[in-house]
Amino acid sequence: MESSTSRTSLNCISLADPDTQRSVALLKQACLDSGFFYVLDHGISQEFMDEVFAESKKFFELPNSEKMKLLRNEKNRGYTPMLDEILDPENQVNGDYKEGYYIGVEVPAEDPQSNRPFYGPNQWPPEEVLPKWREVMEQYHREALRVAKSVARIIALALNLDEDFFDRPEMLGDSIATLRLLHYEGGQKTGQVSNPSKGVYGAGAHSDYGLITLLATDDVVGLQICKDRNAQPQVWEYVAPVKGGFIVNLGDMLERWSNSIFRSTLHRVVLDGQERYSIAFFVEPSHDCVVECLPTCKSETNPPKFPPITCSAYLSQRYKDTHADLSTYSDGKA
């Protein structure tokens, strides 16, 4: 059961605001309320953002046979076809009506670190097909990670931790940061306008896995959030795109860390048939980081709710749960 949707309002946090305490207060309120907020004045130029979106569009406009040559591998790098991901199996038929492309931290194949999950060389389209593509995406990966670290410093202060808590090597100093380009085809191509009552979604209801997600979108409305997943009926609200800014949300890992004080909120994409592009940047700590209740988030009356787990083990299981088995594509990768 769910109710009709309206638009929600989110707090706006400017990374250029010299009043740190104001930013901390706005973020803390957002994390307690919905786990979603806007980040503005992040230092990435609009001109460069436009270029990233343009290069993303060039890839998704390639013939399917070209895209399938870059099908995601066991390291979750590369192309994810339409319906590859099913985020809400209880309520979805088929899968998500979106295609995507994963780009992670670049680690050469000969580096011993490349044997770890989520590390290794990326898959890149041939230069003769998309000449500037790798250069643009690698620059964006660097820029987005810089922004994410700035946001994490405000989160640390909101949790009564040292400002540099998440900067340490075992945290974001050696992070698993993943860029994902996303494309939702228009209804005129697939015939699939989202219809929640029939289990058809651009992206099914889910919460993100990691620490925080930075989302850049075009101007097509589609993202919805549900602030109370246990409510009956569930209430879904649209999040308006923000030109030149990021929509930022907390992931399940931060909810575990904060002992459920901060919220990782259900969200989904529901589309009216318009084509939509977005760029998600998922930020998680290092492989060996043990995610356990923070000292500032537990007490005698609020003991830890989750057992400790390493970041690598947690992420590996979550990806396995939501993506199609690669063997299903064995005949289709040419």
Side-chain angles (χ1 to χ4, degrees), residues 13 15 20 23-24 27 31 37 39 144-168 171-173 175 210-214 248-250 254 257 262 281 283-285 294:
I13 294 162
L15 295 185
T20 304
S23 296
V24 170
L27 182 141
C31 293
F37 49 92
V39 165
L145 183 56
R146 173 187 58 76
V147 175
K149 287 179 177 179
S150 296
V151 174
R153 291 183 192 112
I154 303 173
I155 290 173
L157 292 172
L159 288 167
N160 297 314
L161 301 165
D162 291 338
E163 185 176 16
D164 62 355
F165 179 83
F166 293 111
D167 285 335
R168 293 179 293 169
M171 300 284 186
L172 300 185
S175 60
L211 184 67
I212 55 173
T213 302
L214 272 57
V248 180
N249 64 281
L250 311 184
L254 188 54
W257 245 325
F262 280 2
F281 190 73
V283 184
E284 355 280 6
L294 294 165

Side-chain angles (χ1 to χ4, degrees), residues 256-291:
R256 289 178 74 109
W257 245 325
S258 70
N259 211 22
S260 296
I261 293 173
F262 280 2
R263 308 264 310 278
S264 175
T265 297
L266 276 183
H267 52 286
R268 67 189 188 185
V269 175
V270 174
L271 296 167
D272 63 2
Q274 291 186 79
E275 190 173 31
R276 179 176 183 264
Y277 288 89
S278 65
I279 300 170
F281 190 73
F282 304 103
V283 184
E284 355 280 6
S286 73
H287 286 85
D288 299 326
C289 180
V290 177
V291 180

Side-chain angles (χ1 to χ4, degrees), residues 101-304:
Y101 201 95
Y102 282 115
I103 301 166
V105 177
E106 182 73 27
V107 179
E110 60 274 12
D111 188 320
Q113 289 271 36
S114 71
N115 294 320
R116 314 190 84 177
F118 310 107
Y119 270 16
N122 284 296
Q123 297 198 75
W124 300 107
E127 282 196 28
E128 60 271 20
V129 178
L130 296 173
K132 295 175 60 181
W133 209 81
R134 175 173 180 172
E135 177 188 342
V136 168
M137 296 308 164
E138 288 190 323
Q139 181 182 342
Y140 184 78
H141 194 285
R142 290 191 300 270
E143 293 282 337
L145 183 56
R146 173 187 58 76
V147 175
K149 287 179 177 179
S150 296
V151 174
R153 291 183 192 112
I154 303 173
I155 290 173
L157 292 172
L159 288 167
N160 297 314
L161 301 165
D162 291 338
E163 185 176 16
D164 62 355
F165 179 83
F166 293 111
D167 285 335
R168 293 179 293 169
E170 68 271 24
M171 300 284 186
L172 300 185
D174 192 17
S175 60
I176 302 171
T178 304
L179 168 60
R180 194 176 189 195
L181 311 174
L182 294 163
H183 172 227
Y184 300 83
E185 284 191 351
Q188 69 276 11
K189 281 190 177 182
T190 64
Q192 292 296 346
V193 173
S194 297
N195 187 337
S197 66
K198 294 184 177 178
V200 178
Y201 301 90
H206 65 287
S207 51
D208 289 348
Y209 315 151
L211 184 67
I212 55 173
T213 302
L214 272 57
L215 181 72
T217 74
D218 60 14
D219 58 3
V220 177
V221 177
L223 176 65
Q224 296 179 342
I225 65 174
C226 174
K227 293 179 183 177
D228 183 359
R229 68 178 69 204
N230 298 315
Q232 291 296 335
Q234 287 183 335
V235 177
W236 288 91
E237 299 173 275
Y238 279 104
V239 175
V242 57
K243 187 74 171 177
F246 288 109
I247 301 166
V248 180
N249 64 281
L250 311 184
D252 297 338
M253 206 175 284
L254 188 54
E255 183 170 298
R256 289 178 74 109
W257 245 325
S258 70
N259 211 22
S260 296
I261 293 173
F262 280 2
R263 308 264 310 278
S264 175
T265 297
L266 276 183
H267 52 286
R268 67 189 188 185
V269 175
V270 174
L271 296 167
D272 63 2
Q274 291 186 79
E275 190 173 31
R276 179 176 183 264
Y277 288 89
S278 65
I279 300 170
F281 190 73
F282 304 103
V283 184
E284 355 280 6
S286 73
H287 286 85
D288 299 326
C289 180
V290 177
V291 180
E292 59 184 334
C293 183
L294 294 165
T296 56
C297 297
K298 60 184 175 182
S299 65
E300 286 187 13
T301 56
N302 186 29

Side-chain angles (χ1 to χ4, degrees), residues 42 44-55 136 140 143 215-217 244-246 279:
H42 45 66
I44 303 177
S45 72
Q46 187 61 50
E47 182 182 31
F48 182 60
M49 291 297 302
D50 291 344
E51 186 177 12
V52 177
F53 273 94
E55 291 296 324
V136 168
Y140 184 78
E143 293 282 337
L215 181 72
T217 74
F246 288 109
I279 300 170

Side-chain angles (χ1 to χ4, degrees), residues 68-119:
M68 286 299 288
K69 291 176 183 177
L70 296 158
L71 178 68
R72 68 176 172 87
N73 56 26
E74 67 283 353
K75 298 285 189 179
N76 282 294
R77 306 295 179 89
Y79 177 60
T80 53
M82 198 71 62
L83 307 181
D84 177 80
E85 196 170 13
I86 182 161
L87 290 165
D88 185 14
E90 290 186 12
N91 296 302
Q92 277 181 275
V93 296
N94 300 322
D96 289 358
Y97 280 89
K98 70 176 190 297
E99 54 183 343
Y101 201 95
Y102 282 115
I103 301 166
V105 177
E106 182 73 27
V107 179
E110 60 274 12
D111 188 320
Q113 289 271 36
S114 71
N115 294 320
R116 314 190 84 177
F118 310 107
Y119 270 16

